[in-house]
Amino acid sequence: MSVDTKENLVFESSASVSKLEQIQAWLAPFGEKLTHQILNDIDKDFKKTLVLGPTHTFSEFGLNPNRMLNLVLSTIEKATHDLPVGGNILWLIDSSQPSSLTKIEAEAVFGDGLAIKIIEEVEIGEKYRRLVILAIPREEYVGLVFHLPTDFKEEMTCSIFEFLLSQDTPIAGLFLTFSQAKLLLDNQDSMSVWLLKKLLEEQKISLALSIPHSRTAFAVRDIANEILPLRLLSPNVPVRLVRFEDTNEYVMRRDLLSSLRSAGLQADTSFGYNQFESCQGVSGADYSSYLPLGAYQPQHFDCRIPTGQWQEEGFLELITLKLSPELSPTFSLEWLEKKRTHEKLDACWMIEKNVELNNPLMFENWEKLWDFRTHLQLSRLLLLLDFKRKDSYLNSLKNSDQFLDLSQQYHENIVYNWPANDPWIRTTLVDCGELDRIERVKKVLIGAKNFKSCFNFRFRFVNQIDLLVAGQKESKERVADNTQLNLEKQKIEHIYLKDNNDKDMNSLREDLVKFIDFIPKKLGTTLEVGSGFGQLASVLASRCTSYYCLDLTLEMLFELDNSKGLQGLVADFHHLPLCDSSLDTIIANNVLEHSYDPLRSLKEIHRVLRPGGTLFALIPFEKLNPNHHLPAHLWKSDQLSIELACAASNLQIRKLEVIDIYKLGVAGSFSSCHGLHGMLDIVVQK
């Protein structure tokens, strides 16, 4: 396959050596294992694989990031247009300049337009580096939903339903309230009901349950009754989607998810995109979802937070983008032309932020909605890719007497803990507003049809069933699908601890010193989960009658100070190898955030603690900033999430003290939680 770009990025093999042999030779410095993995993943005749490179084009990426980013995005756009299903793009990038892309930067840049399967870099000599990226184009599944107006009129509704019958674009959901569905049932002989049933019969629309503020209390008491009128209207097409107008109430009902599943509902759509980081702080409850867009499986106890491990029968959250009630009449002709010729628009484009706090953005046309959906982080990324700016910061960091302040600004100057890239299959739920005016509904659907014409087969508007299937696949790709993968990830991510294994009290980090002061002087029989190499254990051992250290590997436990009576256990703290009610105290120092199933781990803690036993935990509040993501931290908690989890585990928070590790003087960037951690004293209720 080939692609025509202004700069030569396409692989050209010599006559004497095959393309496959040249690729194998280029990959040799990466090692046999990675080379074998890549060659096994691509087709040998290259009908389904496009090879871009080897190229030095990106050696000075940071000197002109806007032009380079546009080159990447336009190349991706052109390359993927005719790439068949299952096709790969293999980038082979050589660089010899300090302004070239690092692996972390490349993951953010290329991950904006592609789903990355493999990305690795290798140094060859002092200055020469190679970067290999194997990626696939994303498959886009877009669901359109409408609402029936509160005071819908028969004549207008009939006109709109007749128009919908004439259209090929499926509607993933028409939201009705309990009262609206009852009203329609009471008017079974009306033309609007006949047309609605026709739409359902021809599978052009599916019903969805909308729960207004006034019905929330009734709905949470008996969700099956709330949905009953819709099921009577649509006996042959299941009702699978629900939306709560009162999102706060939905979040606070930690047991509601199981009720929704029991009632046959499969996904909630209450959360809209929130343009602001969770800036309410720790004490003010934040009722937005952690993920900004897409689909995810929520924690059983907290629908805002993605689960850390795939559940086969899990419920879904689908986050909504909204079209404005007043759509622009046409697309930008320039944008349409660039889309049709696969020429990328200026990567600097970023929609203006709405000034009203926590108000989901509304988009005036499909063009702006989709650019926002697919390039959410580009504006921020461009700033951080500027090599001169980055180099100036790093030089200041080395030579300045303000090292502490500068180190805490690392994430403002360097691509660091970047949000995880979207999976290869991506869902987008678009709220198209009310079915109130035929002219507007026509504008929405005709605009959608014209918009789709700018894309290839990888972009599709889908019905409710296909949207949910795609959403489940997307949510599965976001997390590990089994315990072993999660445990292996934790082991790999914590290798660095060996280089930070100092048990001297005078060298402990400031937040750890604060946590030690928070813990009482007498602890009894104590277990520390995720004890690492025993840094905290060495300090606390004298306060205990016995001290057990639990971690995932023997290597860490070999480092324990046996002279202090420390005893080691190799286990997963979701499955503690201890008898019921056998401990007085459990210590969790920056560990609970690594839990792939927080409820399971907290219930295990409850099981092994004696009545009145205590869990002392230090945990970062990573719900506060989804713009920075630590892959090993699976529970993106805040104070509310911890309260919900403890309540579900029969644990009581006796004391919670918030510390700001920036203010404590800890060097480094802790942007994923804005530096805010909670110190918790949690007691068992039995």
Side-chain angles (χ1 to χ4, degrees), residues 33-48:
K33 182 178 179 181
L34 185 71
T35 300
H36 181 75
Q37 186 180 351
I38 290 174
L39 294 180
N40 271 359
D41 219 342
I42 62 177
D43 57 309
K44 303 304 181 283
D45 56 4
F46 297 97
K47 289 182 179 178
K48 296 178 69 174

Side-chain angles (χ1 to χ4, degrees), residues 369-381:
L369 182 146
W370 197 249
D371 274 340
F372 186 84
R373 172 66 179 102
T374 52
H375 304 303
L376 183 61
Q377 301 286 349
L378 275 193
S379 182
R380 187 164 68 99
L381 182 58

Side-chain angles (χ1 to χ4, degrees), residues 323-328 363-364 437 440 443:
L323 282 174
S324 170
E326 302 300 329
L327 292 183
S328 299
F363 298 89
E364 64 184 41
R437 290 170 289 148
R440 183 183 178 281
K443 193 182 292 184

Side-chain angles (χ1 to χ4, degrees), residues 251 335 458 466 603:
V251 169
W335 189 91
R458 288 193 173 84
D466 291 340
K603 286 178 179 178

Side-chain angles (χ1 to χ4, degrees), residues 239-310:
V239 180
R240 303 177 181 89
L241 299 184
V242 63
R243 173 172 296 171
F244 287 82
E245 187 178 326
D246 188 348
T247 311
N248 299 9
E249 186 70 19
Y250 172 55
V251 169
M252 294 303 295
R253 298 280 183 159
R254 58 179 171 78
D255 55 346
L256 189 53
L257 288 180
S258 59
S259 299
L260 296 177
R261 285 196 300 269
S262 298
L265 293 163
Q266 296 179 25
D268 169 73
T269 65
S270 302
F271 296 115
Y273 170 75
N274 190 329
Q275 78 231 48
F276 292 89
E277 294 176 5
S278 303
C279 54
Q280 289 89 338
V282 185
S283 57
D286 168 21
Y287 298 103
S288 63
S289 60
Y290 173 78
L291 282 180
L293 294 166
Y296 67 92
Q297 280 190 352
Q299 296 282 4
H300 296 303
F301 58 91
D302 187 351
C303 55
R304 305 168 306 151
I305 311 295
T307 185
Q309 186 164 304
W310 169 255

Side-chain angles (χ1 to χ4, degrees), residues 274-276 353-361:
N274 190 329
Q275 78 231 48
F276 292 89
K353 289 187 174 181
N354 203 327
V355 296
E356 194 174 338
L357 186 66
N358 294 328
N359 183 36
L361 288 169

Side-chain angles (χ1 to χ4, degrees), residues 186-202:
D186 292 341
N187 292 274
Q188 290 272 16
D189 296 332
S190 67
M191 179 59 72
S192 59
V193 173
W194 185 87
L195 289 168
L196 177 58
K197 290 185 175 181
K198 187 76 171 170
L199 284 165
L200 292 166
E201 182 183 317
E202 295 186 11

Side-chain angles (χ1 to χ4, degrees), residues 438-683:
I438 183 67
E439 297 80 9
R440 183 183 178 281
V441 175
K442 284 182 177 180
K443 193 182 292 184
V444 168
L445 292 182
I446 293 171
K449 188 174 183 179
N450 290 336
F451 183 75
K452 185 183 182 302
S453 70
C454 303
F455 296 86
N456 64 1
F457 60 90
R458 288 193 173 84
F459 180 99
R460 52 186 72 82
F461 291 109
V462 293
N463 60 28
Q464 192 172 112
I465 296 174
D466 291 340
L467 180 71
L468 289 169
V469 170
Q472 288 287 4
K473 289 179 180 178
E474 177 185 348
S475 60
K476 187 174 184 178
E477 289 288 321
R478 290 187 181 279
V479 295
D481 63 1
N482 64 71
T483 300
Q484 193 57 41
L485 284 176
N486 265 323
L487 296 180
E488 288 303 317
K489 177 195 282 189
Q490 297 299 332
K491 291 175 186 177
I492 293 168
E493 293 285 343
H494 288 88
I495 291 173
Y496 77 93
L497 287 175
K498 192 167 186 179
D499 298 326
N500 191 28
N501 183 22
D502 194 339
K503 303 181 183 68
D504 181 3
M505 180 66 179
N506 295 320
S507 69
L508 293 177
R509 216 171 68 174
E510 292 83 350
D511 56 321
L512 198 54
V513 172
K514 191 84 172 173
F515 185 47
I516 289 168
D517 291 340
F518 180 80
I519 298 171
K521 300 302 181 185
K522 293 186 177 180
L523 299 174
T525 305
T526 300
L527 169 71
E528 183 184 351
V529 294
S531 58
F533 292 101
Q535 185 184 41
L536 184 61
S538 295
V539 178
L540 294 178
S542 61
R543 304 183 187 184
C544 309
T545 53
S546 55
Y547 199 109
Y548 298 93
C549 295
L550 181 144
D551 219 302
L552 291 174
T553 66
L554 270 175
E555 182 185 7
M556 288 188 173
L557 299 179
F558 281 146
E559 300 286 332
L560 295 179
D561 188 345
N562 293 326
S563 67
K564 296 187 176 181
L566 301 178
Q567 302 176 63
L569 294 170
V570 177
D572 170 10
F573 73 94
H574 298 78
H575 304 275
L576 295 173
L578 298 167
C579 298
D580 295 359
S581 302
S582 56
L583 300 172
D584 297 304
T585 306
I586 291 181
I587 309 289
N589 167 34
N590 287 296
V591 169
L592 294 180
E593 65 271 23
H594 299 283
S595 175
Y596 56 82
D597 188 348
L599 273 193
R600 175 63 188 253
S601 60
L602 289 175
K603 286 178 179 178
E604 274 292 271
I605 287 170
H606 179 278
R607 179 182 66 81
V608 300
L609 281 172
R610 295 176 180 130
T614 308
L615 164 66
F616 294 100
L618 180 64
I619 182 170
F621 292 135
E622 296 202 352
K623 168 68 171 66
L624 298 180
N625 189 5
N627 280 332
H628 292 273
H629 167 72
L630 276 71
H633 292 188
L634 304 178
W635 182 13
K636 309 296 185 181
S637 73
D638 60 2
Q639 181 173 334
L640 176 57
S641 192
I642 294 167
E643 289 171 353
L644 292 169
C646 287
S649 308
N650 208 18
L651 296 167
Q652 179 185 353
I653 300 175
R654 189 161 49 191
K655 183 179 179 183
L656 186 152
E657 185 178 327
V658 179
I659 58 172
D660 185 338
I661 64 176
Y662 287 144
K663 291 181 179 178
L664 288 176
V666 179
S669 172
F670 303 90
S671 50
S672 61
C673 62
H674 295 311
L676 297 175
H677 287 59
M679 297 193 300
L680 294 146
D681 174 338
I682 299 172
V683 64

